[in-house]
């Protein structure tokens, strides 16, 4: 799915470098495309919102032991270790001076987690304050997720 012109415009205004790395030959999946688009959009919008001017954002899609893993990495402000467990809770926003202009309901990451779980996956973050964050969204590659025409061999 297209990340959308609104996010691209926001990234251009902040002079952000956007890149994508997608593993080839990923199998088609039986998923709710609207829910997945909502989750992916929330992660991309957050990366644009919370990465300072001139920063970098990389979107990636790969297969690993968890299944299919989508990630959004930035070199933004990072998130304190004590705040990370709260990020995926409903109506939670972490307050920092750098984010004063950022608006939001605190529902974006909650939605990401719920969409992942609805599809049998999970969502999580790895972050170091002052170095950036990587948000992950996984989907299992089992018989219920693989589309009927997907090849089952690895």
């Amino acid at each position: 799915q297209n990340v959308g012109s609104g996010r691209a415009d926001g990234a251009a205004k902040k002079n952000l470098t956007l890149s994508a790395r997608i593993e080839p030959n990923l199998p088609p999946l039986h998923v709710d495309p609207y829910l997945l688009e909502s989750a992916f959009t929330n992660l991309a919008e957050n990366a644009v919102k919370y990465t300072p001017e001139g920063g970098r954002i990389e979107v990636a899609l790969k297969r690993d032991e968890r299944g299919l893993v989508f990630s959004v990495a930035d070199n933004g402000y990072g998130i304190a270790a004590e705040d990370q467990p709260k990020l995926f809770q409903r109506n939670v926003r972490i307050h920092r001076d750098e984010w004063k202009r950022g608006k939001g309901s605190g529902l974006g990451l909650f939605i990401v987690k719920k969409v992942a779980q609805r599809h049998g996956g999970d969502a999580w973050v790895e972050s170091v304050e002052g170095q950036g964050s990587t948000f992950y969204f996984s989907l299992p590659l089992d018989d219920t997720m693989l589309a009927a025409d997907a090849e089952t061999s690895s």
Side-chain angles (χ1 to χ4, degrees), residues 71-83:
S71 64
V72 178
D74 64 60
N75 67 335
Y77 302 113
I79 303 157
E82 63 269 13
D83 291 330

Side-chain angles (χ1 to χ4, degrees), residues 30 140-148 152:
H30 178 70
L141 290 177
D142 58 22
D143 290 341
T144 62
M145 291 297 289
L146 292 171
T152 56

Side-chain angles (χ1 to χ4, degrees), residues 21-29 60-64 67-70 141 146 150-151:
R21 188 172 30 94
I22 300 173
E23 185 176 303
N25 303 318
L26 295 171
L29 300 177
L61 185 59
K62 69 176 186 173
R63 185 188 326 218
D64 72 9
L68 194 61
V69 179
F70 176 82
L141 290 177
L146 292 171
E151 293 182 6

Side-chain angles (χ1 to χ4, degrees), residues 4 7 12 27 33 66 81 86 90 95 98 102 131 139:
R7 283 153 304 282
R66 294 173 195 206
K86 299 182 264 185
R90 181 188 298 260
H95 298 284
E98 298 94 337
Q131 296 181 23
L139 300 173

Side-chain angles (χ1 to χ4, degrees), residues 21-117:
R21 188 172 30 94
I22 300 173
E23 185 176 303
N25 303 318
L26 295 171
L29 300 177
H30 178 70
V31 295
D32 183 326
Y34 301 106
L35 287 178
L36 289 184
E37 181 179 5
S38 172
F40 298 156
T41 298
N42 275 305
L43 290 179
E45 286 178 343
N46 279 351
V48 169
K49 186 187 311 184
Y50 296 115
T51 300
E53 184 149 346
R56 294 182 317 275
I57 298 170
E58 180 184 71
V59 176
L61 185 59
K62 69 176 186 173
R63 185 188 326 218
D64 72 9
E65 68 279 352
R66 294 173 195 206
L68 194 61
V69 179
F70 176 82
S71 64
V72 178
D74 64 60
N75 67 335
Y77 302 113
I79 303 157
E82 63 269 13
D83 291 330
Q84 292 175 27
K86 299 182 264 185
L87 288 174
F88 293 94
Q89 296 174 8
R90 181 188 298 260
N91 298 320
V92 170
R93 292 195 70 220
I94 307 301
H95 298 284
R96 287 180 52 162
D97 290 340
E98 298 94 337
W99 300 341
K100 280 184 182 175
R101 291 181 289 162
K103 295 179 182 175
S105 63
L107 289 175
L109 293 175
F110 174 77
I111 291 169
V112 169
K113 182 97 169 176
K114 291 301 176 191
V115 169
Q117 290 173 338

